[in-house]
Amino acid sequence: MTDLRFRGAVSPLSRAPGGATLRRPDQKLPRSVDALVARLRPEAPLHCIRPATIEGAARSFLAAFPGETLYAVKCNPEPAVLRALWRGGVRRFDCASEAEVRLVRNMFPDAAIHFMHPVKSRGAIREAWQRQGVRDFVLDSAEELAKLREETGGGEGLGLVVRLALPKGGAMYDLSGKFGAAPADAVALLRAARPHAQKLGVSFHVGSQCLDPSAYSRAIALAAAVIREAGVAVDLLDVGGGFPVAYPDVVPPPLPAFMAAIRQAVAAEGLSGLALWAEPGRALVAAGTSVVLQVQHRRGDALFVNDGVYGALSDAGAPGFRFPVRLLRDSAAPLVACSFFGPTCDSADHMKGPFLLPGDVAEGDWIEVGQLGAYGASLRTAFNGFDRAGIAEVADPPLLETPGYELGKAA
Ligand SMILES: *Cc1c(COP(=O)(O)O)cnc(C)c1O
C-alpha cells in the first residue's frame, strides 16, 4: 500500500468499456436507429445521440431567452452532446465540480465557465480560479464567501452570485431543501459580498421539470424583494434551470409561456436593468438521446431488459417517469401496458411504466426508449457489473417533440 488511487466513475460514456468499439471513427455506421440495430444486434444498451436535435433545442432556447444561457453540465456531460450544444450557440457552462470545469475547458478553451455549486472544496475553487479561468462563483453562506475570498486571494474580477432558497414549488423534482439562503440571510450575504464582487448576482432554481411558468414569476418577485431590502447594487439575476420537456403523460406549457412569465416578472419588479442568466439542462438535451434496450425475458407483461435504474433509466424507477417507447420491428399486435425489470439483482431495479408496446413483444426484441438525454447517461453506475453500453450518433428525429422548440429545428 504505497499510493493512493482515485477511481473514475462510469460516465461519460466515451470512457465506458464497450463504448469504444461502437465509436471507432474508421467504422462507418448507419445514421438511423433501425439500420444501426440491424447491423450491430447490440446486447448491451445502445445510446443513440441526436446531435441535430440537441443543436436545434439549443438554438430555440437561446433565441427565446432574453439573456445569457448557461448549460447545466451535470445534466449530460457527454462530449458529443457538449459539441452539439456548442454548434447550437451555447458558449457558457454551469459547472458544479472541478471535473466538469476541466472537461468543458479542455473541450472549449473559449467557453465561459461559471462555478454554480454553493458548497465547493477549497482545492476546486483554486483550480477553477487559478488554472481554468473561472471568475463567477455561486454561494449561499457567509462561510463560502470567506472561502472564496481566501482562495481567490482577494479576487480581482470576482463574480459572486447569491443563491436564494425558494419555498417548495411546482416542479417534479423539488430542490428547495438542500441549497439556497433564506431571504434574510440572502440580504445579509448580498451586503457582505458587494465590496468583494466586481459582478454581484442573485440566483435560484425552481426545481427540475417545472410545469408552472408562474413558479419563475414568484421566484423573481422574491429575488426582487431581497435585492430591494439589501439596498446594494446588483448586476445580474440568474433564473436557474427547470424548464420542462414532454413525456408521454406530460405536455408542458410551451417554452414561450415560460419566457413571457420571466420577462413580465422582471419588468414588473423593476429588474430590467439587470443582466439575465438561465441555467437549463433538461430542456436542451432530453430529446437528444434514446437508449435501445434488448428484451432478455418476458414474464407476463413484465419485460426483463438489459438496462435499468442503475443504468440510464433511474428516472423511470422511483420517480416513476414514463418514457416514449417503440418496438424496433413491425408488429400489428395491439398495444399492451408493460413494465420493465432492469438487469441487476436488486428488486428496486423496476420501472413500472406503463410502457405501451405491441402485445407480441418477446425475448430478443429491441426497444427504443426516448427522452433519455437528461439525467440518463449521467446517472449510470457500474452496480452489479452492468456498465457496458455503446454510443452512436444518429440522424433520427426524437421520439417526442416538446412545444416551443420548433424554432430551432435544423433547416
Ligand atoms: C441541476 C441544475 C440545473 C439544471 O436543471 P434542469 O432542471 O435540468 O434544467 C440548473 N441549475 C442548478 C443550480 C442545478 O442544480
Side-chain angles (χ1 to χ4, degrees), residues 205-352:
H205 188 40
V206 296
S208 204
Q209 184 69 3
C210 174
L211 297 172
D212 179 7
S214 76
Y216 291 87
S217 321
R218 286 194 300 275
I220 290 167
L222 184 63
V226 164
I227 290 169
R228 277 192 299 271
E229 177 73 20
V232 295
V234 169
D235 308 299
L236 73 98
L237 176 67
D238 178 348
V239 300
F243 301 90
V245 298
Y247 291 98
D249 46 3
V250 184
V251 181
L255 186 62
F258 289 86
M259 299 309 172
I262 291 169
R263 279 176 204 275
Q264 280 161 19
V266 165
E269 299 294 338
L271 299 178
S272 303
L274 275 63
L276 261 192
W277 292 1
E279 308 165 347
R282 184 185 302 275
L284 302 191
V285 298
T289 302
S290 66
V291 180
V292 175
L293 312 177
Q294 191 174 33
V295 179
Q296 293 170 332
H297 177 59
R298 177 171 178 172
R299 183 191 294 163
D301 290 333
L303 306 178
F304 289 70
V305 293
N306 59 352
D307 203 8
V309 305
Y310 294 96
L313 285 158
S314 58
D315 276 347
F321 273 42
R322 290 181 59 207
F323 291 92
V325 290
R326 161 178 98 87
L327 184 64
L328 267 71
R329 66 171 165 83
D330 293 333
S331 167
L335 299 179
V336 296
C338 295
S339 63
F340 293 163
F341 281 110
T344 72
C345 300
D346 186 351
S347 54
D349 197 356
H350 176 241
M351 296 140 278
K352 68 178 183 350

Side-chain angles (χ1 to χ4, degrees), residues 156-208:
E156 181 63 25
L158 186 61
L160 294 173
V161 181
V162 173
R163 167 92 172 255
L164 182 60
L166 297 180
K168 200 170 157 48
M172 293 179 73
Y173 280 94
D174 187 46
L175 302 176
S176 56
K178 184 165 180 182
F179 295 126
D185 297 333
V187 166
L189 267 178
L190 283 173
R191 289 178 184 154
R194 181 70 271 185
H196 311 289
Q198 182 172 30
K199 190 163 57 182
L200 183 64
V202 174
S203 76
F204 55 76
H205 188 40
V206 296
S208 204

